[in-house]
Amino acid sequence: MLPIDRPSKIICVGLNYRDHAEEQGVPPPDAPLLFAKWPNALIGPGEPIVIPPIVTKCDFEAELGVVIGERVGRVSAENALEAVAGYICVNDASARDLQFADGQWTRGKSPDTFCPVGPHLVPRDDIPDPQNLAIRAVLNGETMQDSSTANTVFGVAELIAYITQTITLEPGDLIATGTPAGVGVFRTPPVFMQPGDEITIEIEGLGALTNPVAAA
């Protein structure tokens, strides 16, 4: 069961961890790199990530999710966290073959089931510092990503302030704040999720989000 209301939009942030930029051999961005996932991608804990027949490179991305609690536009970074309802684990599953072939990311990021969230929404007040949380991705019992939200280039407050300069956020909107180093596509050799796998995203204070992987 989906643990949040279906949002009007899912806004994601690329290259927002210094270690993730480093593993790609690129400098961290000067401003947040935003892209979209569509709400059709959302699933809850325990539901399968279903790989479409045309996808051969299905990757995992552990991310801190931010759920907005009130309508907010052009907010300052100093006041931005007041708009947060809570935090949740997100797996920004990515069809790397589609993502890189298209040259833009929407299709490769938005296949049905490619945005697991859970296990539940943790209220904002229970997470006093979202920029100091351990974050991991564990594939079939093996730790693939192991970092901290302290490594983000832009924190939650900065992201909300940046987004709302041009995009009004509505209650229930989801921001996926980027992923650390260790994703499958940049490993040697690359590691992609396969039918029969199990992927878990763990974030300190937010619990563990586990999903099986299946073929369409």
Side-chain angles (χ1 to χ4, degrees), residues 70 80-87 121-130:
E70 62 183 55
L81 293 185
E82 297 175 8
V84 174
Y87 301 97
L121 181 66
V122 176
R124 176 190 68 201
D125 291 346
D126 290 353
I127 306 295
D129 185 3

Side-chain angles (χ1 to χ4, degrees), residues 16-20 62-64 129-137 145-154 177-181 202-204:
N16 196 33
Y17 278 73
R18 293 176 179 85
D19 53 3
H20 185 45
E63 306 211 4
L64 171 66
D129 185 3
Q131 305 312 141
N132 190 29
L133 305 175
I135 181 169
R136 298 202 307 159
Q145 295 178 277
D146 191 358
S147 189
S148 168
T149 60
N151 289 323
T152 52
V153 182
F154 305 102
T177 59
T179 199
E202 301 174 353
I203 301 179
E204 183 180 354

Side-chain angles (χ1 to χ4, degrees), residues 40-174:
N40 62 281
L42 285 166
I43 57 172
E47 297 185 78
I49 299 168
V50 180
I51 302 176
I54 65 168
V55 173
T56 61
K57 298 178 179 179
C58 182
D59 209 345
F60 48 86
E61 293 191 15
E63 306 211 4
L64 171 66
V66 180
V67 177
I68 298 301
E70 62 183 55
R71 193 171 194 266
V72 61
R74 298 192 182 95
V75 69
S76 68
E78 290 73 21
N79 297 321
L81 293 185
E82 297 175 8
V84 174
Y87 301 97
I88 197 165
C89 299
V90 175
N91 186 350
D92 176 21
S94 305
R96 299 298 192 190
D97 38 1
L98 305 187
Q99 178 186 355
F100 297 150
D102 287 356
Q104 56 79 33
W105 298 356
T106 308
R107 185 171 71 118
K109 292 286 190 172
S110 297
D112 296 346
T113 75
F114 272 41
C115 190
V117 297
H120 48 260
L121 181 66
V122 176
R124 176 190 68 201
D125 291 346
D126 290 353
I127 306 295
D129 185 3
Q131 305 312 141
N132 190 29
L133 305 175
I135 181 169
R136 298 202 307 159
V138 181
L139 181 64
N140 299 325
E142 180 180 354
T143 298
M144 309 298 283
Q145 295 178 277
D146 191 358
S147 189
S148 168
T149 60
N151 289 323
T152 52
V153 182
F154 305 102
V156 172
E158 292 175 277
L159 292 173
I160 294 173
Y162 182 82
I163 291 166
T164 60
Q165 298 313 299
T166 54
I167 302 169
T168 297
L169 293 173
E170 305 286 350
D173 283 352
L174 175 64

